[in-house]
């Protein structure tokens, strides 16, 4: 179903008006910057209710099939909604893992029963999802996952632990990569992928306090936790292929997500405003030629990412390396945010030492908090080092050694 420019423009105005009217007021407490910082119950319930409101208004899961709770409309409409949410800086969608990773995976690889059971709750935020990939001793070596899933009749018994399970304390389900076969010649052949319930005996979620003082991360322990074999997605022993499909959704290399943004990113316009008020030798920092040059570089980078995003949707402009932009967007975007936040701190001089809660902190210490939290995105979904390797090998065709 193709839409005319007039229809798209009219829809854009409708969406803009709805978010302007329904954007939540300041709740009176510190909101997290991304799903990786949701640590308190009041943060979680506020964000869950917001996602449900957006979904019930018809602005989430717009391109997902109607029979599973979606709206069955063109993807172009969902893209408009997502861009407007980012533009207006409304709160992010807290069920990010469900909307962007688990949901698309289930729609593409799950059984009919799994689609009917899981997709509606993902969209409404009734069922929150977390991810069980990284382990304490095997963070970036996903293929060497050691959490055991031992078959016992028509059940599997889980033993081991996963770490960095964002939203784990509030999650109802987890996407889990576990080892179902030991001592294989190829470590990838012994892995299986599960959609597991979190609220069962034998699963304990322990919050991890971050440098920022927040508790968005958790470690999840499994001690003889029993799950049904119906939790498998894909075949037993083929978990690595399912995990790679999941990471393609997580990194944005493949489309099919439900929409909405996952984090509150800073923009270069905010750094420019900071440079106008920050002082260098008694004058506004923005008058320093070196600082102005850095700001121009950030402006160019931000604009190039926006144009590349548009370019990636035009097949004729991506003939030579069709996956180069999608596969590099996570790396480029996360590192850009880290560097830009760091530059914003440098503009504050000695005041950069203040943090959230300090009366003298600029903008209540939000730049400092943004800088620390920016590192999460450079690690989650594959570290920047891993991303460089993936791009080199899979996009550019470079040898592994």
């Amino acid at each position: 179903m193709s839409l005319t420019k007039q229809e798209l423009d009219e829809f854009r105005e409708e969406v803009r008006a709805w978010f302007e009217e329904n954007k939540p007021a300041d709740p009176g407490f510190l909101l997290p910057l991304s799903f990786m910082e949701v640590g308190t119950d009041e943060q979680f319930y506020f964000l869950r209710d917001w996602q449900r409101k957006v979904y019930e208004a018809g602005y989430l899961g717009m391109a997902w099939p109607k029979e599973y709770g979606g709206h069955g409309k063109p993807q172009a409409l969902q893209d408009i909604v997502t861009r407007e949410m980012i533009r207006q800086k409304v709160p992010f969608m807290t069920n990010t893992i469900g909307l962007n990773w688990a949901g698309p995976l289930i729609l593409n690889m799950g059984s009919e029963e799994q689609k009917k059971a899981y997709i509606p709750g993902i969209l409404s935020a009734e069922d929150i999802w977390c991810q069980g990939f990284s382990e304490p001793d095997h963070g970036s070596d996903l293929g060497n996952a050691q959490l055991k899933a031992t078959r016992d009749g028509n059940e599997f018994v889980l033993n081991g632990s996963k770490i960095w399970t964002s939203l784990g304390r509030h999650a109802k389900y987890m996407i889990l990569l576990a080892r179902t076969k030991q001592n294989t010649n190829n470590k990838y052949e012994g892995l299986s992928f599960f959609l597991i319930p979190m609220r069962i005996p034998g699963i304990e979620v322990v919050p991890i306090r971050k440098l920022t003082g927040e508790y968005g991360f958790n470690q999840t322990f499994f001690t003889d936790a029993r799950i049904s074999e119906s939790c498998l997605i894909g075949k037993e022993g083929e978990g690595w292929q399912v995990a790679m499909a999941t990471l393609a959704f997580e990194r944005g290399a493949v489309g099919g997500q439900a929409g909405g943004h996952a984090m509150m990113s800073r923009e270069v316009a905010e750094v420019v405003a900071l440079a106008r008020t920050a002082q260098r030798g008694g004058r506004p920092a923005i008058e320093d030629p070196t600082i102005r040059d850095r700001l121009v570089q950030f402006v160019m980078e931000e604009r190039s990412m926006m144009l590349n995003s548009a370019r990636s949707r035009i097949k004729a402009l991506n003939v030579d390396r069709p996956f180069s932009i999608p596969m590099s967007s996570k790396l480029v975007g996360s590192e850009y945010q880290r560097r830009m936040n760091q530059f914003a701190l440098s503009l504050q001089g000695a005041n950069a030492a203040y943090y959230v809660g300090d009366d003298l902190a600029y903008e209540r210490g939000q730049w400092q908090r943004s800088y620390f939290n920016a590192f999460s995105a450079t690690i989650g979904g594959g570290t920047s080092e891993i991303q460089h390797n993936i791009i080199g090998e899979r996009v550019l065709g470079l040898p592994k050694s």
Side-chain angles (χ1 to χ4, degrees):
M1 177 183 175
S2 60
L3 299 171
T4 66
K5 182 179 184 301
Q6 180 179 347
E7 289 174 322
L8 293 173
D9 289 342
E10 290 174 353
F11 179 73
R12 187 177 291 107
E13 288 303 316
E14 170 198 319
V15 172
R16 180 173 296 143
W18 190 89
F19 280 108
E20 287 175 351
E21 182 178 348
N22 291 277
K23 181 177 181 179
D26 188 338
F29 53 82
L30 195 65
L31 282 175
L33 298 175
S34 80
F35 73 98
M36 292 179 282
E37 281 89 56
V38 181
T40 68
D41 288 344
E42 62 180 358
Q43 290 175 336
F44 170 71
Y45 289 119
F46 176 89
L47 291 166
R48 187 194 63 178
D49 291 345
W50 168 241
Q51 179 180 320
R52 182 175 297 159
K53 184 174 183 177
V54 174
Y55 170 63
E56 291 176 349
Y59 295 137
L60 195 62
M62 298 188 71
W64 283 12
K66 286 185 178 181
E67 58 265 35
Y68 309 125
H71 301 289
K73 296 182 178 180
Q75 180 64 41
L77 298 182
Q78 186 66 71
D79 293 341
I80 288 174
V81 173
T82 299
R83 286 195 292 270
E84 191 60 28
M85 293 174 73
I86 295 172
R87 191 188 73 83
Q88 293 201 31
K89 293 186 178 298
V90 300
F92 59 87
M93 299 292 97
T94 191
N95 202 13
T96 292
I97 295 172
L99 295 170
N100 297 324
W101 312 340
L105 176 71
I106 294 168
L107 286 174
N108 278 267
M109 301 184 68
S111 66
E112 187 67 17
E113 291 76 14
Q114 288 170 332
K115 294 174 185 178
K116 291 179 178 178
Y118 298 126
I119 298 300
I122 287 175
L123 290 169
S124 67
E126 184 67 27
D127 300 338
I128 303 299
W129 287 70
C130 63
Q131 183 184 44
F133 275 19
S134 295
E135 296 182 4
D137 296 322
H138 307 283
S140 295
D141 187 9
L142 182 59
N144 201 28
Q146 294 298 309
L147 186 144
K148 294 180 180 179
T150 305
R151 180 177 277 280
D152 183 14
N154 61 355
E155 293 184 321
F156 286 91
V157 183
L158 306 177
N159 282 284
S161 73
K162 295 289 183 177
I163 201 165
W164 315 130
T165 44
S166 303
L167 295 170
R169 196 167 67 84
H170 297 100
K172 186 175 180 180
Y173 296 105
M174 170 188 279
I175 49 176
L176 174 72
L177 185 67
R179 187 160 297 282
T180 48
K181 191 174 183 180
Q182 304 291 323
N183 304 319
T184 58
N185 293 328
N186 185 341
K187 63 183 179 182
Y188 303 110
E189 294 177 354
L191 297 169
S192 297
F193 202 102
F194 300 89
L195 311 174
I196 74 165
M198 288 288 287
R199 299 166 188 173
I200 60 174
I203 296 182
E204 180 187 10
V205 179
V206 179
I208 297 174
R209 187 176 188 272
K210 301 185 341 182
L211 180 65
T212 61
E214 296 167 293
Y215 285 88
F217 292 141
N218 304 275
Q219 184 167 359
T220 305
F221 296 90
F222 301 81
T223 306
D224 294 331
R226 288 182 171 270
I227 59 172
S228 167
E229 65 180 358
S230 64
C231 293
L232 271 169
I233 183 167
K235 295 180 180 180
E236 184 177 347
E238 296 182 358
W240 182 250
Q241 292 88 332
V242 183
M244 291 302 97
T246 306
L247 288 174
F249 290 120
E250 179 178 352
R251 294 163 178 163
V254 177
Q257 294 81 359
H261 57 324
M263 62 182 61
M264 309 297 291
S265 299
R266 306 304 293 254
E267 297 177 353
V268 69
E270 299 174 90
V271 188
V272 173
L274 171 61
R276 295 185 188 279
T277 58
Q279 296 289 307
R280 278 288 185 276
R283 301 179 64 84
I286 200 168
E287 296 182 9
D288 185 318
T290 303
I291 290 175
R292 291 174 70 89
D293 182 66
R294 290 288 303 279
L295 288 171
V296 169
Q297 291 295 323
F298 282 122
V299 170
M300 292 168 60
E301 286 187 70
E302 184 175 274
R303 184 60 177 165
S304 69
M305 286 188 289
M306 293 174 60
L307 293 175
N308 271 337
S309 177
R311 173 188 170 185
S312 66
R313 297 189 291 272
I314 304 173
K315 291 184 179 180
L317 299 180
N318 297 274
V319 175
D320 294 336
R321 303 188 189 279
F323 296 107
S324 60
I325 295 175
M327 292 190 72
S328 63
S329 59
K330 185 266 184 188
L331 169 65
V332 173
S334 62
E335 287 294 338
Y336 171 80
Q337 282 290 320
R338 180 190 61 78
R339 289 186 292 104
M340 187 177 68
N341 277 282
Q342 185 176 30
F343 180 68
L345 292 184
S346 72
L347 293 175
Q348 298 178 34
N351 285 338
Y354 294 114
Y355 193 64
V356 175
D358 292 325
D359 293 337
L360 297 178
Y362 182 82
E363 289 188 6
R364 299 184 299 173
Q366 291 304 311
W367 283 107
Q368 286 80 350
R369 181 174 177 236
S370 295
Y371 171 65
F372 285 131
N373 282 327
F375 284 90
S376 298
T378 68
I379 298 171
T383 64
S384 291
E385 292 78 9
I386 294 293
Q387 296 301 108
H388 276 107
N389 288 341
I390 291 172
I391 294 168
E393 295 167 11
R394 301 184 190 176
V395 176
L396 302 178
L398 300 176
K400 290 188 175 183
S401 58

